[in-house]
């Protein structure tokens, strides 16, 4: 066995460890990223509403959420930093070959992160130290930086799905790299919009679910009712919009990644008047036991019941994604999204008719599970996106197995990441539970202020 064969063998063996570590990191970080994108806007809105109405319960609620936001930001910063290093450590061949094309958004994301970190600090330390107007204005850069950071990261991922902004010469080398063009490929805006709205859906339902559980336990005061009502309203308003954006992104996938769309639907044959499939198991080039909606897929993609949808038969067998994983993940996202839409309509109809929450314990139970359901739906969506791109790390150009590091020790890196995230999860949950149990729990930046006011800590 020569040296080249040894390198290739090591790379293939490392693929499982690298993909597992990347999936773990992304799956963990994406939850905190949602809070980084959406929670600051919800917190500032609640603070503004409290000042506008002169209602201490609302400003107190915003203050509690601001403390939680600081904890979540710190946890997200750790996982985000690990993620940045992993791109180079786990996939050095990807960065070596295409880094000059799609690495630019990571640089800009770093600036966005620093701006967000600075103004998170200003917002937290400025509570009761700045005028209400100055305090809320200090949050605007934090909100904008969170959105910008999400755009830069998603644009890099969108490039991996639809690589643009460069040419390959006769020897296959990257030439004429245009990073700005690479940032704005055909998948960038649909993916970013989908992720941005998903952040509000996840954050809204997740925060509301915490207060729904508290209300089921008998805590029905103003603090808890508004703690449920505000984030639930945000999630309920955005969920129908997110369903519409889903149609946009499905059409983008159909135009640029037909193999992914075929895997999402478990469709092997190229078909005119293709049905929309729900559930079922894909085996022997056939989707079995699925519930089918006649002409549904052709209508969704072409807005024409007789539109032709390419099947997996158009793609060589070694270039097809794992169909069952993609199909079932996509179905999970759609089913949960439909359920959340039903919950949003239930809440909206009750509020429109009576200006109050539905008077049934089943509504609070539904809201209580909606937070976890929204997280599962988002994770299923990302599984669809990432696994559906396989076996490519750069769609159509570089296979994932060709990008992985051949270095020894990736298994130890995975073990270390599991330990770090376990400790970080326990730490985050303990701190958030302490904040939830005692609204007067002081954040670190408040201890000095309390001392000045003569409080006993």
């Amino acid at each position: 066995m020569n040296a080249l064969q040894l390198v290739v063998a090591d790379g293939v063996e490392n693929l499982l460890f690298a993909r597992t570590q990347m999936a773990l990191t992304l799956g963990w970080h994406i939850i905190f990223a949602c809070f980084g994108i959406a929670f600051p806007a919800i917190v500032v809105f609640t603070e503004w509403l409290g000042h506008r109405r002169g209602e201490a319960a609302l400003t107190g609620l915003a203050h509690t959420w601001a403390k939680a936001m600081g904890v979540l930001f710190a946890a997200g910063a750790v996982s985000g930093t690990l993620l940045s290093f992993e791109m180079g450590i786990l996939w050095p061949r990807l960065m070596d070959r295409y880094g000059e094309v799609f690495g630019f958004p990571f640089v800009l994301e770093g600036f966005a992160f620093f701006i967000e970190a600075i103004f998170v600090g200003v917002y937290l330390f400025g509570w009761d130290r700045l005028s209400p107007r100055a305090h809320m204005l200090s949050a605007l850069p934090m909100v904008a930086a969170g959105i910008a950071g999400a755009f830069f990261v998603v644009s890099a991922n969108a490039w991996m799905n639809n690589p643009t902004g460069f040419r390959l010469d006769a020897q296959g080398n990257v030439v004429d790299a245009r990073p700005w063009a690479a940032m704005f490929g055909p998948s960038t805006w649909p993916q970013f919009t989908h992720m941005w709205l998903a952040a509000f859906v996840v954050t809204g339902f997740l925060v509301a679910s915490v207060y729904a559980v508290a209300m089921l336990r008998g805590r029905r005061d103003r603090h808890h009712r508004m703690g449920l009502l505000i984030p639930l309203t945000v999630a309920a308003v955005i969920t129908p919009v997110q369903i519409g954006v889903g149609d946009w992104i499905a059409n983008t996938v159909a135009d640029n990644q037909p193999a992914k769309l075929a895997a999402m639907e478990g469709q092997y044959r190229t078909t005119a008047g293709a049905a929309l499939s729900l559930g079922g198991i894909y085996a022997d080039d056939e989707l079995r036991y699925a519930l089918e909606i006649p002409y549904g897929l052709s209508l969704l993609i072409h807005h024409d019941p007789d539109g032709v949808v390419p099947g997996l038969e158009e793609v060589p067998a070694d270039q097809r994604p794992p169909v069952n994983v993609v199909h079932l993940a996509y179905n999970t996202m759609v089913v949960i999204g439909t359920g959340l839409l039903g919950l949003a309509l239930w809440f909206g109809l009750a509020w429109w008719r009576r200006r109050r929450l539905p008077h049934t314990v089943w509504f609070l139970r539904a809201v209580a599970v909606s937070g976890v359901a929204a997280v599962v739906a988002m994770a299923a969506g990302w599984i669809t996106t990432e696994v559906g791109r396989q076996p490519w790390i750069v769609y159509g150009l570089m296979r994932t197995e060709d990008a992985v590091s051949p270095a020894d020790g990736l298994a130890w890196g995975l073990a270390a990441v599991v330990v770090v995230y376990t400790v970080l999860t326990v730490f985050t949950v303990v701190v958030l539970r302490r904040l939830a149990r005692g609204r007067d729990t002081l954040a670190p930046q408040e201890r000095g202020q309390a001392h000045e006011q003569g409080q006993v800590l």
Side-chain angles (χ1 to χ4, degrees):
M1 183 177 292
N2 58 36
L4 177 61
Q5 288 174 316
L6 278 173
V7 167
V8 172
D10 287 343
V12 173
E13 290 171 1
N14 278 342
L15 186 60
L16 175 63
F17 297 124
R19 292 186 66 180
T20 304
Q21 182 173 334
M22 207 70 195
L24 174 65
T25 306
L26 282 170
W28 202 92
H29 178 70
I30 195 70
I31 300 172
F32 293 88
C34 285
F35 277 94
I37 297 167
F39 207 26
I42 296 174
V43 172
V44 174
F45 170 76
T46 305
E47 184 189 358
W48 170 80
L49 198 61
H51 290 307
R52 179 181 174 84
R53 294 181 176 180
E55 192 170 339
L58 287 175
T59 51
L61 186 64
H63 199 182
T64 300
W65 286 350
K67 297 173 187 176
M69 184 177 70
V71 174
L72 294 168
F73 180 84
V78 173
S79 58
T81 303
L82 283 175
L83 194 59
S84 300
F85 286 122
E86 285 176 351
M87 289 297 292
I89 293 173
L90 300 179
W91 315 106
R93 294 163 175 171
L94 166 68
M95 302 308 293
D96 179 56
R97 184 172 174 80
Y98 293 107
E100 63 178 309
V101 182
F102 86 113
F104 187 48
F106 291 116
V107 177
L108 298 179
E109 195 275 338
F111 285 109
F113 169 76
F114 286 128
I115 292 172
E116 186 178 11
I118 290 169
F119 282 94
V120 165
V122 171
Y123 187 73
L124 293 178
F125 281 84
W127 202 281
D128 291 336
R129 288 185 170 90
L130 299 173
S131 68
R133 175 173 296 182
H135 187 245
M136 288 185 287
L137 287 174
S138 74
L140 297 183
M142 173 179 68
V143 174
I147 296 171
F151 173 81
F152 296 134
V153 172
V154 172
S155 70
N157 181 270
W159 180 87
M160 294 165 72
N161 282 298
N162 293 125
T164 57
F166 65 100
R167 291 189 301 109
L168 295 178
D169 64 15
Q171 289 72 42
N173 299 313
V174 173
V175 295
D176 191 21
R178 290 169 286 121
W180 282 106
M183 280 178 55
F184 294 95
S187 290
T188 298
W189 286 113
Q191 272 196 231
F192 167 69
T193 306
H194 203 47
M195 183 63 231
W196 183 47
L197 296 178
F200 281 90
V201 172
V202 168
T203 303
F205 280 121
L206 207 50
V207 174
S209 69
V210 173
Y211 290 89
V213 171
M215 291 178 72
L216 285 169
R217 292 175 177 174
R219 300 174 187 172
R220 303 292 181 101
D221 56 42
R222 179 79 173 163
H223 177 90
H224 287 86
R225 282 190 290 111
M226 295 305 292
L228 181 143
L229 189 59
I230 292 174
L232 181 60
T233 301
V234 171
V237 168
I238 291 180
T239 297
V241 182
Q242 179 72 313
I243 301 293
V245 171
D247 177 72
W248 181 19
I249 201 167
N251 280 274
T252 304
V253 171
D255 291 339
N256 300 283
Q257 296 177 290
K260 179 187 287 187
L261 178 70
M264 288 161 61
E265 290 296 328
Q267 177 173 305
Y268 180 74
R269 299 288 181 193
T270 297
T271 307
L276 195 65
S277 301
L278 183 63
I281 297 295
Y282 186 85
D284 299 326
D285 297 333
E286 182 183 358
L287 185 64
R288 303 175 180 177
Y289 317 117
L291 176 65
E292 294 189 344
I293 302 174
Y295 306 105
L297 184 58
S298 290
L299 282 170
L300 177 68
I301 300 305
H302 298 289
H303 303 146
D304 176 0
D306 297 320
V308 177
V309 180
L312 288 164
E313 65 176 346
E314 305 285 344
V315 182
D318 67 341
Q319 296 181 15
R320 298 171 191 163
V323 178
N324 278 316
V325 175
V326 178
H327 175 64
L328 295 177
Y330 175 64
N331 278 196
T332 299
M333 180 188 68
V334 170
V335 169
I336 293 177
T338 304
L340 294 176
L341 176 63
L343 178 61
L345 294 175
W346 185 7
F347 168 63
L349 184 62
W351 193 262
W352 175 61
R353 295 180 62 184
R354 300 185 178 89
R355 287 290 188 274
R356 61 175 172 76
L357 297 173
H359 268 185
T360 167
V361 71
W362 286 105
F363 178 77
L364 291 179
R365 288 171 178 169
V367 177
V369 301
S370 67
V372 173
V375 171
V376 172
M378 179 188 61
W382 273 107
I383 290 172
T384 303
T385 299
E386 296 302 286
V387 179
R389 192 182 62 237
Q390 302 304 317
W392 307 102
I393 194 168
V394 180
Y395 190 73
L397 296 176
M398 174 179 267
R399 298 176 73 94
T400 307
E401 63 191 35
D402 295 331
V404 71
S405 169
D408 293 332
L410 290 198
W412 290 108
L414 172 60
V417 166
V418 170
V419 171
V420 168
Y421 282 170
T422 301
V423 172
L424 204 55
T425 300
V426 172
F427 167 78
T428 304
V429 170
V430 167
V431 174
L432 290 178
R433 284 177 64 85
R434 185 177 177 186
L435 284 174
R437 287 174 176 172
R439 297 178 215 163
D440 297 329
T441 301
L442 296 179
Q445 79 279 1
E446 296 172 313
R447 294 182 183 278
Q449 183 184 4
H451 181 73
E452 293 170 4
Q453 295 171 351
Q455 295 184 17
V456 178
L457 303 179

